[in-house]
Amino acid sequence: ARSRTVGELIAPTSPFDKKCGRENWTVAFAPDGSYFAWSQGHRIVKLVPWSQCLNNFLLHGTKNVANSISTRLPRQNSDSAQKNKPCEHIIDCGDIVWSLAFGSSVPEKQSRCVNIEWHRFKFGQDQLLLATGLNNGRIKIWDVYTGKLLLNLMDHTEVVRDLTFAPDGSLILVSASRDKTLRVWDLKDDGNMMKVLRGHQNWVYGCAFSPDSSILCSVGASKAVFLWDMDKYSMIRKLEGHHNDVVACEFSPDGALLATASYDTRVYVWDPHLGVILREFGHLFPPPTPIFAGGANDRWVRSVSFSHDGLHIASLADDKMVRFWRIDEECPVQVAPLNNGLCCTFSTDGSVLAAGQDGSAYFWATPRQVSSLQHLCRMAIRRVMPTSQVKNLPIPSKVVEFLCYQI
């Protein structure tokens, strides 16, 4: 089945933009669903209120020129008034943008920093930040509501390829770079760098937190998937199985599954607690043998994203297709065409998939299905219980297999 197109945000073009630098490597939704951000190419990031976007799609059809409205931001005295009325922002980051991530703060969560007496920024409960990773190794932190630059983090020596915030509101940021390291930053401590995670022998392409913020997954140009304990900052294990560079990863909403995308034309779904592959979604049939796994470069999988319902995965490959998979079926349930797509992510409520291509963003309606009571119970249990504890429950083996996503 073909996915229904919801809308497009087409970036303006000029004669100088057509050759290079227009790659859209990242799209992101704010955790509360208030904003959508994407890289328009070169140095520009566009921030738009998501509800306003949807309204424009409904009123004016799917096409929407991203810079059709001039966005001079009025300076308002009241911060609350500014936040109650979301505004569009065009942010010039000063260098090519490779990665984006939204972060929101919860005041009850204590910072892990040593110095608790003085801070340049005191983030409140409704704080919303945007981190941008740049070509020169810098990470710039912006206030989403005002569009102002807050912090400039400098320690990476190469491209910052991916960024992810801890979902617990602690404003812990992890960056993945071509300098072969991951770095952990505490934004509540004014961007203090807390730790450097070393283990990758080549470029690090992506990173993702588990829903409870206890585990970090990182992937890169070495076929291996790394899992890190974020309380001890130590490596838990490597997941071996891919035959080429692994470029994207994401945990399921309950933390029981991990999806990884690779240039070997496959998406694997792992049990991260056991390190075993539970599902394989292939993008080339028959699949390439390991010795030729790097040769099918028209089927490289570029991005993968887990839906909030825990039942669907979206993947984006070089064969000009976006695919929607159910975790319990071998074939895609929906597909959509997209040339030169590099990234995709589900909206906060899971109703829309956004994908980036050549400085523009495209949106499709996602497969909708009412989750069974069994699946909802499974997700509730798996949010608080790793696989090893599930296997020790005094329940029938078939129920254990279901809870472990093995049937």
Side-chain angles (χ1 to χ4, degrees):
R2 286 284 290 267
S3 295
R4 178 176 60 85
T5 301
V6 173
E8 306 169 355
L9 291 172
I10 308 297
T13 58
S14 70
F16 304 104
D17 288 345
K18 293 181 179 177
K19 290 187 178 179
C20 62
R22 294 282 298 177
E23 293 85 5
N24 180 352
W25 289 100
T26 181
V27 291
F29 287 95
D32 61 358
S34 58
Y35 275 90
F36 173 74
W38 81 102
S39 166
Q40 288 192 346
H42 302 293
R43 315 185 315 185
I44 303 301
V45 169
K46 187 71 182 289
L47 266 167
V48 294
W50 177 235
S51 59
Q52 179 182 316
C53 255
L54 287 177
N55 290 337
N56 287 344
F57 293 153
L58 291 172
L59 289 173
H60 307 296
T62 60
K63 295 221 176 197
N64 186 9
V65 177
N67 287 348
S68 59
I69 303 171
S70 177
T71 55
R72 283 189 180 277
L73 294 173
R75 187 74 190 111
Q76 299 185 16
N77 294 326
S78 169
D79 285 342
S80 61
Q82 181 83 19
K83 293 171 184 176
N84 289 335
K85 188 179 179 183
C87 298
E88 290 188 10
H89 300 267
I90 298 174
I91 297 175
D92 187 341
C93 295
D95 203 346
I96 295 172
V97 180
W98 285 82
S99 50
L100 296 173
F102 281 99
S104 62
S105 62
V106 180
E108 297 82 28
K109 197 75 179 178
Q110 291 297 314
S111 173
R112 301 189 193 189
C113 70
V114 177
N115 171 26
I116 59 172
E117 296 177 3
W118 181 89
H119 292 297
R120 183 179 169 196
F121 300 107
K122 298 200 182 306
F123 295 119
Q125 184 169 9
D126 54 355
Q127 187 71 39
L128 188 59
L129 305 178
L130 180 71
T132 55
L134 307 181
N135 192 67
N136 58 10
R138 295 191 178 189
I139 302 167
K140 292 188 176 182
I141 310 297
W142 310 82
D143 186 314
V144 170
Y145 300 121
T146 64
K148 283 191 170 184
L149 177 64
L150 299 179
L151 292 168
N152 195 351
L153 310 181
M154 295 176 286
D155 209 69
H156 282 298
T157 57
E158 281 282 353
V159 169
V160 180
R161 188 62 187 82
D162 199 16
L163 295 164
T164 182
F165 276 96
D168 60 7
S170 60
L171 289 185
I172 299 297
L173 173 69
V174 175
S175 54
S177 171
R178 285 186 181 174
D179 65 13
K180 307 176 186 177
T181 67
L182 297 128
R183 294 174 193 259
V184 186
W185 314 80
D186 186 352
L187 297 195
K188 287 189 177 179
D189 187 24
D190 300 333
N192 173 48
M193 194 189 72
M194 301 158 56
K195 198 72 179 176
V196 180
L197 303 180
R198 304 182 189 275
H200 286 270
Q201 301 300 310
N202 293 290
W203 292 357
V204 190
Y205 282 126
C207 54
F209 268 103
S210 63
D212 64 0
S213 304
S214 66
I215 299 174
L216 180 82
C217 175
S218 63
V219 296
S222 62
K223 305 180 186 177
V225 178
F226 289 69
L227 295 179
W228 307 85
D229 183 324
M230 292 308 286
D231 291 322
K232 301 176 183 176
Y233 300 115
S234 60
M235 190 187 302
I236 301 172
R237 63 170 59 90
K238 286 185 189 179
L239 307 181
E240 304 279 356
H242 279 296
H243 304 293
N244 203 338
D245 294 358
V246 191
V247 293
C249 58
E250 189 165 53
F251 284 90
S252 62
D254 59 4
L257 303 174
L258 172 69
T260 57
S262 170
Y263 288 168
D264 66 8
T265 75
R266 299 170 176 92
V267 167
Y268 284 156
V269 179
W270 309 76
D271 182 325
H273 305 285
L274 299 180
V276 298
I277 298 170
L278 300 178
R279 305 278 188 280
E280 176 183 330
F281 299 127
H283 295 66
L284 178 65
F285 298 97
T289 57
I291 196 169
F292 294 113
N297 55 9
D298 59 338
R299 295 291 192 281
W300 284 1
V301 188
R302 294 282 183 176
S303 185
V304 67
S305 184
F306 241 112
S307 175
H308 82 303
D309 63 7
L311 286 173
H312 293 91
I313 292 174
S315 66
L316 194 154
D318 281 350
D319 61 356
K320 305 178 183 179
M321 296 293 288
V322 178
R323 292 172 173 84
F324 295 92
W325 311 80
R326 265 187 64 99
I327 60 170
D328 53 1
E329 295 184 17
E330 293 184 355
C331 297
V333 292
Q334 287 185 16
V335 296
L338 180 69
N339 291 338
N340 303 325
L342 294 172
C343 55
C344 66
T345 188
F346 282 95
S347 61
T348 309
D349 65 359
S351 64
V352 172
L353 181 80
Q357 176 244 345
D358 294 344
S360 300
Y362 299 83
F363 306 90
W364 296 274
T366 59
R368 302 301 301 207
Q369 182 170 345
V370 177
S371 298
S372 67
L373 183 58
Q374 291 101 313
H375 176 66
L376 294 175
C377 291
R378 173 169 61 182
M379 290 185 68
I381 292 171
R382 293 312 308 270
R383 279 191 178 97
V384 297
M385 200 173 283
T387 307
S388 57
Q389 293 182 18
V390 171
K391 287 184 176 292
N392 291 330
L393 292 174
I395 54 177
S397 59
K398 281 291 183 185
V399 179
V400 171
E401 290 178 4
F402 178 78
L403 291 176
C404 295
Y405 290 91
Q406 292 173 357
I407 56 173

